[in-house]
Amino acid sequence: MLDENELLRVIRESLRAISEPRFFQSERGFQGEFLSVLRARLPDIRGLDSDVIIEQEYQKRAQEHGLTIRPDLIIHVPFDARRYPDRKHGNYIVFELKLRASPNGARVAFSHIARLMEILHYTLGVFINIGSSETHFSEVVKPATGRVAAFGVTIENGQIEIGENVT
């Protein structure tokens, strides 16, 4: 069973480890650094399968997955028909990252998270607002309520500031 408290601790630590101001200037730069930092910490999360990997911008295809959303990051066990009966198994966490998201941008991200969680049974959805401590948590859409964490992360004078909401 996935230990959500450990997961949130590891995400917080990973966000705090990104201290280069340049990474807060673009979604892609931040995403790459976050992926690197988080990957190194994955073994610290209790309840994850030993075959788990983290991938970025993995294309979900309608024929195979039932949707065409491209999440920013996913933590999952790659599908293997010998191991799982369908693609709804082995899916742990789906991430959406946005650079200084507006409330509307966050709502779109939360709706993508909700759809991925609904169709592919991801255990948890995580939204990260880069360059702002605002989480826009009030924009979480109903299907995802109770299964989403939202972080806002920014750097001010070399200090990392994190806003956080969890359902």
Side-chain angles (χ1 to χ4, degrees), residues 77 83-84 110 134:
V77 176
R83 183 173 183 176
Y84 296 124
F110 286 126
E134 177 60 56

PDB file of all heavy atoms in Angstrom, residues 77 83-84 110 134:
ATOM      1  N   VAL A  77       4.345   1.439 -12.907  1.00  0.00           N
ATOM      2  CA  VAL A  77       5.038   0.252 -13.384  1.00  0.00           C
ATOM      3  C   VAL A  77       4.598   0.100 -14.838  1.00  0.00           C
ATOM      4  O   VAL A  77       3.398   0.020 -15.107  1.00  0.00           O
ATOM      5  CB  VAL A  77       4.659  -1.005 -12.562  1.00  0.00           C
ATOM      6  CG1 VAL A  77       5.319  -2.237 -13.159  1.00  0.00           C
ATOM      7  CG2 VAL A  77       5.026  -0.826 -11.106  1.00  0.00           C
ATOM      8  N   ARG A  83       1.800  -9.512 -16.457  1.00  0.00           N
ATOM      9  CA  ARG A  83       1.737  -9.152 -15.036  1.00  0.00           C
ATOM     10  C   ARG A  83       0.379  -8.577 -14.627  1.00  0.00           C
ATOM     11  O   ARG A  83      -0.103  -8.826 -13.533  1.00  0.00           O
ATOM     12  CB  ARG A  83       2.828  -8.134 -14.754  1.00  0.00           C
ATOM     13  CG  ARG A  83       2.921  -7.723 -13.332  1.00  0.00           C
ATOM     14  CD  ARG A  83       4.131  -6.854 -13.116  1.00  0.00           C
ATOM     15  NE  ARG A  83       4.241  -6.534 -11.712  1.00  0.00           N
ATOM     16  CZ  ARG A  83       5.217  -5.860 -11.204  1.00  0.00           C
ATOM     17  NH1 ARG A  83       6.191  -5.432 -11.969  1.00  0.00           N
ATOM     18  NH2 ARG A  83       5.247  -5.584  -9.930  1.00  0.00           N
ATOM     19  N   TYR A  84      -0.187  -7.735 -15.509  1.00  0.00           N
ATOM     20  CA  TYR A  84      -1.437  -7.045 -15.193  1.00  0.00           C
ATOM     21  C   TYR A  84      -2.492  -7.377 -16.238  1.00  0.00           C
ATOM     22  O   TYR A  84      -2.191  -7.502 -17.423  1.00  0.00           O
ATOM     23  CB  TYR A  84      -1.230  -5.528 -15.190  1.00  0.00           C
ATOM     24  CG  TYR A  84      -0.279  -5.031 -14.133  1.00  0.00           C
ATOM     25  CD1 TYR A  84       0.842  -4.277 -14.472  1.00  0.00           C
ATOM     26  CD2 TYR A  84      -0.504  -5.287 -12.782  1.00  0.00           C
ATOM     27  CE1 TYR A  84       1.711  -3.800 -13.505  1.00  0.00           C
ATOM     28  CE2 TYR A  84       0.358  -4.811 -11.810  1.00  0.00           C
ATOM     29  CZ  TYR A  84       1.464  -4.072 -12.168  1.00  0.00           C
ATOM     30  OH  TYR A  84       2.307  -3.595 -11.216  1.00  0.00           O
ATOM     31  N   PHE A 110      -6.056  20.363 -13.068  1.00  0.00           N
ATOM     32  CA  PHE A 110      -6.795  19.489 -12.146  1.00  0.00           C
ATOM     33  C   PHE A 110      -7.782  18.593 -12.904  1.00  0.00           C
ATOM     34  O   PHE A 110      -7.980  17.428 -12.543  1.00  0.00           O
ATOM     35  CB  PHE A 110      -7.539  20.302 -11.084  1.00  0.00           C
ATOM     36  CG  PHE A 110      -6.651  20.885 -10.020  1.00  0.00           C
ATOM     37  CD1 PHE A 110      -6.692  22.238  -9.739  1.00  0.00           C
ATOM     38  CD2 PHE A 110      -5.790  20.085  -9.285  1.00  0.00           C
ATOM     39  CE1 PHE A 110      -5.892  22.785  -8.756  1.00  0.00           C
ATOM     40  CE2 PHE A 110      -4.972  20.621  -8.298  1.00  0.00           C
ATOM     41  CZ  PHE A 110      -5.021  21.982  -8.028  1.00  0.00           C
ATOM     42  N   GLU A 134       1.111  29.969  -4.683  1.00  0.00           N
ATOM     43  CA  GLU A 134      -0.334  29.741  -4.780  1.00  0.00           C
ATOM     44  C   GLU A 134      -0.611  28.350  -5.347  1.00  0.00           C
ATOM     45  O   GLU A 134      -0.066  27.983  -6.391  1.00  0.00           O
ATOM     46  CB  GLU A 134      -0.972  30.805  -5.677  1.00  0.00           C
ATOM     47  CG  GLU A 134      -2.440  30.632  -5.918  1.00  0.00           C
ATOM     48  CD  GLU A 134      -3.272  30.665  -4.649  1.00  0.00           C
ATOM     49  OE1 GLU A 134      -3.181  31.661  -3.910  1.00  0.00           O
ATOM     50  OE2 GLU A 134      -4.015  29.696  -4.404  1.00  0.00           O
TER      51      GLU A 134
END
